[in-house]
Coordinates of all heavy atoms in Angstrom, one line a residue:
P54 N 3.2 0.0 -48.5 CA 4.3 0.2 -47.6 C 4.1 -0.6 -46.3 O 5.0 -1.2 -45.8 CB 4.4 1.7 -47.4 CG 3.7 2.3 -48.6 CD 2.7 1.3 -49.0
R106 N 35.2 -29.7 -9.4 CA 33.9 -30.3 -9.7 C 33.4 -29.9 -11.1 O 33.4 -28.7 -11.4 CB 32.9 -29.9 -8.7 CG 31.5 -30.5 -8.9 CD 30.5 -30.2 -7.9 NE 30.8 -30.8 -6.6 CZ 31.2 -30.1 -5.5 NH1 31.3 -28.8 -5.6 NH2 31.5 -30.7 -4.4
G130 N 51.3 -22.2 -14.6 CA 51.1 -23.6 -14.9 C 49.8 -23.8 -15.5 O 48.8 -23.1 -15.2
D140 N 27.4 -41.5 -15.2 CA 26.0 -41.6 -15.1 C 25.4 -40.4 -14.4 O 24.2 -40.1 -14.6 CB 25.6 -42.9 -14.5 CG 26.0 -44.1 -15.3 OD1 26.1 -43.9 -16.6 OD2 26.2 -45.2 -14.8

Side-chain angles (χ1 to χ4, degrees):
R106 176 179 294 112
D140 293 335

